[in-house]
Amino acid sequence: MNDAPHILLLGGTSETAPLAVNLATVGYQVLVSTATDAALAVGDHPAIHRRCGRLDRDQLAALIDRQRMMAVIDATHPYARDVHQAARDAAAHSQRPYLRYQRQALVEASGDVVTARDHDEAAQLACAAGRPVLLTTGSRHLAPYVAAAQRHGIALYARMLNHPEAVTACEQAGLADNGRIFGRGPFSLEQNRALIRHYHIGVLVTKDSGRAGGVAEKLAAARREQCRVIVVQRPDETTENTFDDMDRLVAALQQCCPVSTVSKIGEIK
């Protein structure tokens, strides 16, 4: 890159591309950082670039300082608590604004939806029913579900992105090959219904990933197939710089980091 990007956008979700394009369109250079190199649209604009690989707090701070970032925008998954904290801490260390894009929550507890505080509780609730379980929460918290399914002697199926990290997670957790379902979401109502029927699923476990995460289609499919739903609650970490509207986030960024000051990083307080 001939000109160092000015905004660090931590992405990895379907909102990454539209948010990056919004930022580039109003005049910012954008470096999109994702934890893996999985295929992801980041926006077709000459001012948008991408880097891949997980970064801890110190590595993020070093990147911010080295590339002279004006601000950090965190648009990672609503459940990526460790990433959110690392990004906040790195931005504070480098004295740069931190803004977070957070999808609107979608799920409320009801007669056919049970919420769980964490994955350990969700695993116990899901497997206690004694019916096959479909896990749609990714590959990062497989262990408690595998252990609970083995104790209860039930079938466990986990749908996740087909990536080497996911395969490694399955191996480490002890999830059998026939319990691994690879695919890239979000999935339609009929795709979810077909999967539930094919594996005779009795309990579906999900996160409240919002409308963009395909949660509505999962809930509708489960209801149609008379399947119980366990929802792992979101971490409670809302901050004053959290936005669920992209336009409002970009406007807030323009207030604290006007585009006219992009070339004057040293003057930003």
Side-chain angles (χ1 to χ4, degrees), residues 119 122-128 130-139 141-160 169-182 195 198-206 230:
H119 288 281
Q124 294 303 319
L125 290 171
C127 295
R131 301 178 64 190
V133 173
L134 174 61
L135 185 61
T136 65
T137 58
S139 62
H141 301 279
L142 292 172
Y145 298 96
V146 172
Q150 291 175 345
R151 284 197 303 273
H152 289 274
I154 62 171
L156 173 67
Y157 303 94
R159 185 173 66 189
M160 69 202 79
C170 290
E171 296 292 341
Q172 292 175 342
L175 182 64
D177 288 347
N178 62 5
R180 307 172 191 179
I181 304 171
F182 294 110
L195 194 63
H198 180 76
Y199 290 102
H200 307 289
I201 300 299
V203 182
L204 183 148
V205 183
T206 185
I230 308 294

Side-chain angles (χ1 to χ4, degrees), residues 8 59-72 87 90-91 94 96:
L8 177 60
Q59 291 169 325
L60 277 169
L63 176 62
I64 293 167
D65 293 339
R66 184 174 64 252
Q67 299 283 12
R68 304 174 71 202
M69 300 294 178
M70 289 184 67
V72 177
S94 300
R96 293 290 182 260

Side-chain angles (χ1 to χ4, degrees), residues 188-197 204 215-227 229:
S188 69
L189 167 64
E190 289 307 320
Q191 286 174 317
N192 284 307
R193 291 187 68 187
L195 194 63
I196 291 170
R197 289 196 299 267
L204 183 148
V215 176
E217 290 79 5
K218 293 180 191 179
L219 295 180
R223 290 186 177 113
R224 296 277 188 91
E225 299 301 325
Q226 299 182 333
C227 181
V229 177

Side-chain angles (χ1 to χ4, degrees), residues 31-110:
L31 176 61
V32 176
S33 178
T34 58
T36 72
D37 59 359
L40 176 73
V42 298
D44 184 14
H45 192 289
I48 300 174
H49 307 276
R50 182 185 180 184
R51 66 156 305 279
C52 304
R54 299 187 188 280
L55 299 172
D56 60 22
R57 187 206 68 169
D58 293 340
Q59 291 169 325
L60 277 169
L63 176 62
I64 293 167
D65 293 339
R66 184 174 64 252
Q67 299 283 12
R68 304 174 71 202
M69 300 294 178
M70 289 184 67
V72 177
I73 296 180
D74 182 357
T76 54
H77 197 276
Y79 288 77
R81 176 185 294 176
D82 292 343
V83 178
H84 302 158
Q85 188 62 56
R88 280 194 296 266
D89 291 347
H93 178 273
S94 300
Q95 297 184 316
R96 293 290 182 260
Y98 168 88
L99 298 88
R100 173 144 161 233
Y101 177 77
Q102 176 81 300
R103 297 172 180 172
Q104 291 183 347
L106 189 65
V107 179
E108 294 183 2
S110 61

